[in-house]
Amino acid sequence: MSSTSVLSSASNATVNVFDTIGNTAMAATKIVNGIATGGNMFERMMNDMDANHAKRSKINQEKYEKELLEDAARTIAKRQAMIQRELADDPIFAKLFAENYAELKALLNPSVSE
């Protein structure tokens, strides 16, 4: 083998090594860019989710308060309507109810009755 062919082979090997290093560097750069892009996408997704949650929470709070008030008012109204029917239907019950109500109210609020 001639010295020219040995030098040529060594030169080709060196070029191949540098090509491999260059290709590896480009692949690593692409990986880093891909990771950065993925990180940016994740950050945008989290920001969107946070903004959507804030909107949903605001609506849920408004809805919750209305439903809470409606449910409480409905429960009280049903109970009051039932009591009014019983009071209207039975005068003895009406008298006892009024006495018991006044007695219990005085028990719970002693300063009012004094």
Side-chain angles (χ1 to χ4, degrees):
M1 195 184 238
S2 73
S3 65
T4 306
S5 108
V6 170
L7 286 174
S8 175
S9 292
S11 177
N12 284 341
T14 303
V15 167
N16 286 340
V17 167
F18 284 124
D19 282 347
T20 300
I21 291 171
N23 289 339
T24 302
M26 284 179 24
T29 300
K30 287 180 181 180
I31 289 171
V32 169
N33 287 341
I35 291 170
T37 299
N40 289 338
M41 289 171 60
F42 180 74
E43 181 183 12
R44 283 192 302 274
M45 181 184 73
M46 293 304 292
N47 288 338
D48 288 349
M49 287 173 61
D50 184 49
N52 291 343
H53 177 72
K55 291 173 187 175
R56 191 176 306 111
S57 180
K58 189 173 186 176
I59 289 170
N60 285 342
Q61 276 304 114
E62 174 94 12
K63 188 175 87 170
Y64 172 78
E65 187 173 314
K66 285 180 180 179
E67 288 175 359
L68 182 66
L69 293 171
E70 290 168 352
D71 288 346
R74 184 173 193 265
T75 299
I76 293 168
K78 280 181 127 182
R79 186 173 56 243
Q80 288 174 335
M82 181 188 68
I83 291 169
Q84 290 301 317
R85 280 191 295 274
E86 290 174 340
L87 294 173
D89 290 345
D90 187 348
I92 296 171
F93 174 78
K95 179 182 176 291
L96 293 171
F97 180 88
E99 290 171 1
N100 287 320
Y101 189 89
E103 184 180 316
L104 293 170
K105 186 174 181 179
L107 179 68
L108 293 178
N109 301 299
S111 62
V112 174
S113 63
E114 294 176 358

